[in-house]
């Protein structure tokens, strides 16, 4: 059985919000590429939301509902980006045993 620290954390959640993991040695396999593509989309969405947040916060006419919606979207994007960062950190640690 593969140790949990050798599994790849996938960029989506399973039932009940639990993390999903991939157990493979094939970094070019279908699931690995799918995860890479979804991570890229998630990071791109976060970058777009960051620009939107700056614009919204500069907008004097932005109301409480606009800010609440923005906060909700930013929360989801931050959750995705943290999952990507965690996954990539684990992948780096597995590929370079010299890392702390």
């Amino acid at each position: 059985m593969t140790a949990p620290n050798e599994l790849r954390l996938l960029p989506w959640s399973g039932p009940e919000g639990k993390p999903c993991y991939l157990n493979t040695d094939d970094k070019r396999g279908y699931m690995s590429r799918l995860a890479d593509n979804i991570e890229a989309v998630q990071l791109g969405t976060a970058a777009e939301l960051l620009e939107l947040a700056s614009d919204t916060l500069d907008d004097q006419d932005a109301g409480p509902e606009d800010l609440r919606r923005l906060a909700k979207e930013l929360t989801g994007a931050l959750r995705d980006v943290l999952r990507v960062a965690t996954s990539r950190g684990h992948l780096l640690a597995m590929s370079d045993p010299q890392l702390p």
Side-chain angles (χ1 to χ4, degrees):
M1 181 173 179
T2 304
N5 63 343
E6 294 177 5
L7 300 175
R8 177 181 179 171
L9 177 64
L10 293 171
W12 56 81
S13 298
E16 301 172 13
K18 294 182 180 182
C20 293
Y21 295 93
L22 176 63
N23 180 10
T24 184
D25 293 330
D26 185 5
K27 293 180 182 179
R28 295 180 188 257
Y30 175 78
M31 290 301 294
S32 294
R33 287 182 290 123
L34 177 63
D36 291 342
N37 290 336
I38 290 175
E39 286 178 352
V41 168
Q42 290 172 329
L43 294 174
T45 299
E48 291 172 11
L49 275 172
L50 184 58
E51 283 186 39
L52 176 64
S54 294
D55 293 344
T56 302
L57 294 173
D58 289 341
D59 182 0
Q60 297 296 325
D61 295 327
E65 198 58 39
D66 297 321
L67 296 174
R68 193 172 295 113
R69 187 178 321 109
L70 176 62
K72 185 175 181 179
E73 290 179 19
L74 286 170
T75 300
L78 180 57
R79 185 178 300 113
D80 291 343
V81 168
L82 285 173
R83 187 180 297 123
V84 171
T86 299
S87 176
R88 291 185 181 185
H90 286 269
L91 291 174
L92 283 173
M94 286 187 314
S95 66
D96 188 354
Q98 299 297 323
L99 292 175

